Short mmCIF file of all heavy atoms in Angstrom, two decimals:
data_model
loop_
_atom_site.label_atom_id
_atom_site.label_comp_id
_atom_site.label_asym_id
_atom_site.label_seq_id
_atom_site.Cartn_x
_atom_site.Cartn_y
_atom_site.Cartn_z
N VAL A 1070 0.37 2.28 -0.64
CA VAL A 1070 1.10 3.55 -0.71
C VAL A 1070 0.63 4.46 0.41
O VAL A 1070 -0.56 4.73 0.54
CB VAL A 1070 0.87 4.23 -2.07
CG1 VAL A 1070 1.59 5.57 -2.11
CG2 VAL A 1070 1.37 3.33 -3.20
N ALA A 1078 8.00 17.59 0.62
CA ALA A 1078 7.98 17.20 -0.78
C ALA A 1078 7.39 18.26 -1.69
O ALA A 1078 7.58 18.23 -2.89
CB ALA A 1078 7.20 15.90 -0.95
N PRO A 1082 0.60 15.90 -6.84
CA PRO A 1082 -0.03 16.00 -8.17
C PRO A 1082 -1.38 16.69 -8.07
O PRO A 1082 -2.12 16.52 -7.11
CB PRO A 1082 -0.16 14.54 -8.58
CG PRO A 1082 0.97 13.86 -7.88
CD PRO A 1082 1.08 14.55 -6.55
N SER A 1088 -15.34 19.79 -11.10
CA SER A 1088 -16.54 20.15 -11.87
C SER A 1088 -16.45 21.63 -12.21
O SER A 1088 -15.67 22.39 -11.62
CB SER A 1088 -17.81 19.87 -11.06
OG SER A 1088 -17.90 20.76 -9.95
N THR A 1098 -13.58 32.75 -5.14
CA THR A 1098 -12.99 32.91 -3.80
C THR A 1098 -11.53 33.34 -3.86
O THR A 1098 -10.89 33.49 -2.81
CB THR A 1098 -13.12 31.61 -2.99
OG1 THR A 1098 -12.58 30.51 -3.74
CG2 THR A 1098 -14.58 31.33 -2.66
N VAL A 1100 -10.93 36.26 -5.22
CA VAL A 1100 -11.11 37.72 -5.18
C VAL A 1100 -10.64 38.33 -3.86
O VAL A 1100 -10.01 39.40 -3.87
CB VAL A 1100 -12.58 38.09 -5.47
CG1 VAL A 1100 -12.82 39.58 -5.25
CG2 VAL A 1100 -12.95 37.68 -6.89
N VAL A 1109 -3.60 46.70 2.79
CA VAL A 1109 -2.28 46.90 3.39
C VAL A 1109 -2.00 48.39 3.50
O VAL A 1109 -2.07 49.11 2.50
CB VAL A 1109 -1.17 46.22 2.55
CG1 VAL A 1109 0.20 46.51 3.16
CG2 VAL A 1109 -1.43 44.72 2.47
N ILE A 1116 8.75 50.81 1.11
CA ILE A 1116 8.73 49.84 0.03
C ILE A 1116 8.29 48.46 0.52
O ILE A 1116 7.70 47.68 -0.23
CB ILE A 1116 10.13 49.75 -0.63
CG1 ILE A 1116 10.07 48.87 -1.88
CG2 ILE A 1116 11.16 49.23 0.37
CD1 ILE A 1116 11.37 48.83 -2.65
N CYS A 1125 0.41 39.95 -2.10
CA CYS A 1125 -0.97 39.48 -1.92
C CYS A 1125 -1.69 39.40 -3.26
O CYS A 1125 -2.39 38.42 -3.56
CB CYS A 1125 -1.72 40.42 -0.98
SG CYS A 1125 -1.16 40.39 0.74
N ALA A 1132 -3.29 31.96 -8.00
CA ALA A 1132 -4.41 31.09 -7.70
C ALA A 1132 -5.39 31.02 -8.87
O ALA A 1132 -5.88 29.95 -9.24
CB ALA A 1132 -5.12 31.57 -6.44
N TYR A 1151 1.85 27.75 -4.69
CA TYR A 1151 2.47 27.50 -3.39
C TYR A 1151 3.60 28.50 -3.13
O TYR A 1151 3.76 29.02 -2.02
CB TYR A 1151 3.03 26.08 -3.34
CG TYR A 1151 2.05 25.02 -2.94
CD1 TYR A 1151 0.85 24.85 -3.61
CD2 TYR A 1151 2.34 24.15 -1.90
CE1 TYR A 1151 -0.04 23.86 -3.26
CE2 TYR A 1151 1.45 23.14 -1.53
CZ TYR A 1151 0.26 23.00 -2.21
OH TYR A 1151 -0.63 22.02 -1.85
N VAL A 1180 14.81 32.80 -1.78
CA VAL A 1180 15.52 31.84 -2.63
C VAL A 1180 14.97 30.43 -2.42
O VAL A 1180 14.83 29.64 -3.37
CB VAL A 1180 17.03 31.87 -2.33
CG1 VAL A 1180 17.75 30.74 -3.05
CG2 VAL A 1180 17.62 33.22 -2.75
N VAL A 1188 7.56 24.77 3.78
CA VAL A 1188 8.46 24.98 4.92
C VAL A 1188 8.66 26.47 5.17
O VAL A 1188 8.58 26.95 6.30
CB VAL A 1188 9.81 24.28 4.67
CG1 VAL A 1188 10.81 24.64 5.78
CG2 VAL A 1188 9.63 22.77 4.61
N ALA A 1191 5.39 28.02 6.50
CA ALA A 1191 5.12 27.62 7.89
C ALA A 1191 6.02 28.40 8.85
O ALA A 1191 5.56 28.90 9.89
CB ALA A 1191 5.33 26.12 8.05
N HIS A 1193 7.46 31.37 8.49
CA HIS A 1193 7.11 32.78 8.61
C HIS A 1193 5.71 32.98 9.19
O HIS A 1193 5.47 33.97 9.90
CB HIS A 1193 7.24 33.46 7.25
CG HIS A 1193 8.65 33.68 6.84
ND1 HIS A 1193 9.39 34.75 7.25
CD2 HIS A 1193 9.49 32.92 6.08
CE1 HIS A 1193 10.62 34.67 6.76
NE2 HIS A 1193 10.70 33.57 6.04
N MET A 1227 -6.75 23.75 8.49
CA MET A 1227 -7.50 22.49 8.53
C MET A 1227 -8.14 22.22 7.17
O MET A 1227 -8.12 21.09 6.67
CB MET A 1227 -8.56 22.55 9.63
CG MET A 1227 -7.99 22.48 11.03
SD MET A 1227 -9.26 22.69 12.32
CE MET A 1227 -10.29 21.25 12.01
N ALA A 1231 -7.25 19.16 4.76
CA ALA A 1231 -8.39 18.31 4.44
C ALA A 1231 -8.56 18.20 2.93
O ALA A 1231 -8.88 17.12 2.40
CB ALA A 1231 -9.66 18.86 5.08
N LEU A 1255 -6.30 40.52 8.57
CA LEU A 1255 -6.27 41.08 9.92
C LEU A 1255 -4.86 41.42 10.38
O LEU A 1255 -4.69 42.02 11.45
CB LEU A 1255 -6.91 40.10 10.91
CG LEU A 1255 -8.39 39.76 10.66
CD1 LEU A 1255 -8.86 38.68 11.62
CD2 LEU A 1255 -9.26 41.00 10.81
N ALA A 1267 11.69 54.76 4.05
CA ALA A 1267 11.88 54.40 2.65
C ALA A 1267 12.34 52.97 2.57
O ALA A 1267 12.92 52.45 3.50
CB ALA A 1267 12.88 55.31 1.99
#
Side-chain angles (χ1 to χ4, degrees):
V1070 178
S1088 68
T1098 53
V1100 173
V1109 177
I1116 188 175
C1125 292
Y1151 275 54
V1180 171
V1188 173
H1193 286 276
M1227 288 175 63
L1255 298 174

